[in-house]
Every structure is written in structure tokens, then in C-alpha cells.
Amino acid sequence: MVVVFSQASDHAQAVFQMTLGRWGPYTPFLLSPAGLTLAVWLTRRFFPGAQGSGIPQVIAALHISDQRAISALLSARIAVGKVLLTLLGLGVGASIGREGPCVQLGASIMDVLGRFDTHARPRPHLRRAFVLAGGAAGVAAAFNTPLAGIVFAIEELSHSFETRASGTTLTAVILGGITTLALVGNYTYFGVTSVSLAVGPGWLAVLVCSLAGGLAGGLFSAILVRASRGLPGLAGRLVIGHPFAFAALCGFLLAALGWLSDGTTYGTGYAQARHLVEGSAHVPWDFPFLKLAATVVSYLSGIPGGIFAPSLAVGAGIGKLLAPLVPGAPAAAMVLLGMVGYFAGVVQAPITAAVIVMEMTDNQTMTVPLLATAMLAFAVSRSFCRRPLYGALAERFLIALARRPS
């Protein structure tokens, strides 16, 4: 499912780019508002629970035992809606990723399979193990990073190492990895880079990227956490009273940001990040700022879609922008450190951030600098956003479920 979803995501972005090429750069000013409005309407009408990244829903599901409540967050219906509406968002230029949705997709599939347990007595710990394994397999298959899938399950989803769930998680990740290899072959998400960072003045890059990445990532997370409690002023009243008009406004802002960035802020940001890693990209100097803004706007609109890939693109742009400040460090190393610094600042899961970037670029020589940057960025981010993003958003889902009539 993840492989099919990934290929469909690439096709949706290609269709959007073809539309721009045929009808011109002003097309998103009509297409994006209409598409985001439609996506929000479909989400509210047919697929409640599919909005946003999907990772907070999985975390929330791990903290409840009532199957009815879990079904409001994980189900076959939600999985279908998550895939279709994420594709719709990518098809109209939203700055969203597919990796977060892959976590909810994997967890939903495993939860559905877990309900076929024929034993008379329910086994909550087994259902929890299935959900955890499905989420980990989703990350592993989305990035082709099996180690990151396991670390993500421990550090972000469960926040602990569970002996009873570890075997199930490991098995799911292995089988997911084998399936991915069989279908698309062995590949690295962002290609291969052999850049290294020698001990010496070049290590100033670790400090620079961790400070910038942690600051930007922490502010990004703080905005989304604050927005989850309700936007202030006119924007908040618009969301509550006229959610579809707010979605259309977000679509217009998204188009404006795309026009200002010469089209680089549309979609996942995968192409820009990969080219930056390879040293072949020529993105505007303000790309990371505009991409960050486009991701915030896309998320606030209420459509399904993740923030993994856009965050990695923002981080790569930050590293590229800061490269001239540290002449002793290779520009490619700055890009990697920028990616891990910003990503760690956003998700506040430093080990996951370092492992994902290391595996996605097949570069073990940068392991120590990546880990150091991730840990420092995590500390900086906590100064601006005390609660981890996904945990805070999961809490909002738990509160909403508690308020539902029984």
C-alpha cells in the first residue's frame, strides 16, 4: 500500500506541474483554493479522523483501549480517505508529505487485521502491538529506512521500549522492507552522498545548524500546537464559523507563496531537498522561509497531509543558506546538518531525526555530527515549544474523543 501510495503521490505532483506548464503560473490561484475547499469538505463529511499528519492519531490510539474510540482514528475507511485526500492535496499544490499519512495507513491496516483475533477475550496489549508495528512499518516503507522505523516506534510513537511489542514491530518492519525491496528495489530516498565533516573548525557547522534548525523547528511546532487549541481573532472565528471559506483562503495564500518562490514551495519538497543534497539545486535564497510558511498554511487548512518531507526540504534549504557562514565545512555537509537540525526541532525526536537522515543518504561517516546537531537542536526547540508536536496534537484528539457522546 505504501509503494502504491508513493507512486500515486509522484503522479499527482506531476499532474500539478503539467497543469502549471500548460495553463501558466497563475493557475494555482484558482486551483488551490478550490482543491483545498473540496478536500476539507470531503474530510469533514466522509473521513473525519483523516485530517492532518496522521501520526497524532496513531499516538492517541496507543493510549486508549476502547475499540470504538480507536475506530474513530484508525480504520479502513480512514486509511482510504487519507490516501485519496492526500493525493488530492498534492494534486492542487499543497505543501504536504506522504510519510505521516503512511504511519496512519500502516497502523490502520494492522489494527484491522488485529480485529480478526478469534480468541473470546480481547487482548489490548496485542492490539497496541499491532498498531505500533503498523506505524513503524509505514515509516520504514515510506523512506526505505528500516532502522528509522524501529527507532521512530520507540522514540516517538510509544516513548518506550516494550518487550511484548518489540518482536511484532521488528517483524513488521522486516516484512515491510522485504516487500519494498521486491517492488521497487534497493534505493536511498535522497540518493547517496559521501560527504564528511572532519574534526576542527568545520564543526562550527554543528552549532550553527542546530541553533538555526532548533529555532525554526521550535517556532513551527509552537505555531501548530497553538493553532490546535484555536486560532486567535478573525482567523479563529473564520475556522469555526466558515471552515470552507478558511480553506479557500489558505489555498489562495498557498498559491501566492508558490508564485513568490517560482513554484518551489508546491508539493512535498522532495525534489528540492534531493537536489540540495546532491549539490545540483538552484533554489531561491528565501526558499526555506517560504516553504515553512506554505507548510503551515497547508496544515492549518485542515486537509490530510504530513510534514515529514516538507520539513526535510526546509532543513535542507536552511543548511544551504547558512553554508557561506562556515567556510570550513562542505556545503553538502551543511545541507545534511540543516535537515537534521530543523527536523529534530520540529518533531523533538533527535535520534529518529539523525537515523532517518543517515539512512536516507546512505552516509554513516556523518553519524556523530548528525547526532550532535539533532540533540542540540532538540534542546533549542524545547525552549520555544515545551510540548513535542505530535504528542500535543495527539492530546487534542484524546480530548475530542472524551467529549464525544457515548
Side-chain angles (χ1 to χ4, degrees):
M1 289 300 298
V2 168
V3 169
V4 171
F5 183 25
S6 301
Q7 294 179 348
S9 299
D10 294 339
H11 184 67
Q13 293 182 89
V15 169
F16 177 75
Q17 292 299 328
M18 288 172 56
T19 303
L20 289 188
R22 182 171 183 179
W23 300 105
Y26 296 104
T27 307
F29 283 95
L30 293 175
L31 184 61
S32 296
L36 264 60
T37 302
L38 177 61
V40 170
W41 181 80
L42 290 172
T43 301
R44 287 170 168 256
R45 178 67 178 83
F46 298 106
F47 305 106
Q51 67 270 26
S53 163
I55 295 174
Q57 289 94 314
V58 176
I59 295 175
L62 290 169
H63 287 81
I64 53 182
S65 56
D66 179 58
Q67 186 57 56
R68 182 183 174 189
I70 294 175
S71 297
L73 303 172
L74 304 174
S75 68
R77 174 185 55 81
I78 290 176
V80 170
K82 194 75 171 187
V83 170
L84 295 179
L85 296 178
T86 301
L87 295 177
L88 174 59
L90 290 172
V92 298
S95 178
I96 54 178
R98 55 176 173 78
E99 293 77 20
C102 284
V103 175
Q104 191 176 16
L105 173 62
S108 294
I109 292 173
M110 289 292 286
D111 183 62
V112 170
L113 294 176
R115 295 178 199 175
F116 286 95
D117 180 13
T118 58
H119 291 75
R121 296 181 61 187
R123 295 185 287 176
H125 71 275
L126 183 59
R127 285 214 317 262
R128 175 181 169 86
F130 276 18
V131 169
L132 191 62
V139 170
F143 286 121
N144 191 30
T145 52
L147 180 58
I150 297 170
V151 173
F152 179 77
I154 296 172
E155 187 178 30
E156 184 60 55
L157 294 182
S158 68
H159 295 284
S160 65
F161 180 80
E162 303 180 24
T163 305
R164 289 187 297 184
S166 60
T168 308
T169 301
L170 183 59
T171 302
V173 168
I174 292 172
L175 293 177
I178 292 172
T179 305
T180 305
L181 289 173
L183 293 176
V184 297
N186 191 18
Y187 71 96
T188 49
Y189 194 83
F190 285 129
V192 178
T193 174
S194 58
V195 67
S196 61
L197 189 66
V199 176
W203 266 67
L204 178 62
V206 171
L207 180 61
V208 171
C209 290
S210 60
L211 289 175
L215 171 62
L219 290 176
F220 174 85
S221 294
I223 291 172
L224 296 193
V225 171
R226 175 64 182 85
S228 71
R229 299 195 294 263
L231 293 172
L234 177 61
R237 293 193 295 272
L238 192 60
V239 171
I240 296 174
H242 306 280
F244 306 129
F246 181 76
L249 175 61
C250 289
F252 181 83
L253 294 175
L254 189 66
L257 291 167
W259 178 73
L260 289 173
S261 68
D262 197 25
T264 57
T265 58
Y266 295 126
T268 62
Y270 165 78
Q272 289 78 18
R274 182 175 183 120
H275 291 319
L276 284 168
V277 169
E278 295 174 343
S280 59
H282 298 284
V283 298
W285 68 270
D286 54 357
F287 165 74
F289 308 107
L290 297 177
K291 184 64 176 175
L292 187 155
T295 307
V296 169
V297 169
S298 299
Y299 197 94
L300 295 184
S301 69
I303 67 171
I307 60 175
F308 264 46
S311 294
L312 292 169
V314 171
I318 290 175
K320 178 68 173 179
L321 181 65
L322 297 176
L325 299 180
V326 190
M334 291 289 290
V335 169
L336 297 184
L337 296 177
M339 291 172 70
V340 77
Y342 180 77
F343 190 63
V346 169
V347 301
Q348 294 191 4
I351 301 176
T352 298
V355 171
I356 280 182
V357 173
M358 180 189 70
E359 282 194 286
M360 286 191 307
T361 57
D362 193 24
N363 190 329
Q364 285 76 42
T365 61
M366 287 287 292
T367 300
V368 175
L370 289 174
L371 284 170
T373 303
M375 293 302 296
L376 289 173
F378 163 71
V380 173
S381 175
R382 288 297 292 268
S383 302
F384 297 92
C385 185
R386 300 300 302 173
R387 293 289 310 281
L389 173 61
Y390 292 131
L393 297 179
E395 186 176 292
R396 306 307 299 177
F397 280 103
L398 291 173
I399 293 174
L401 287 174
R403 291 175 177 172
R404 289 178 57 186
S406 58

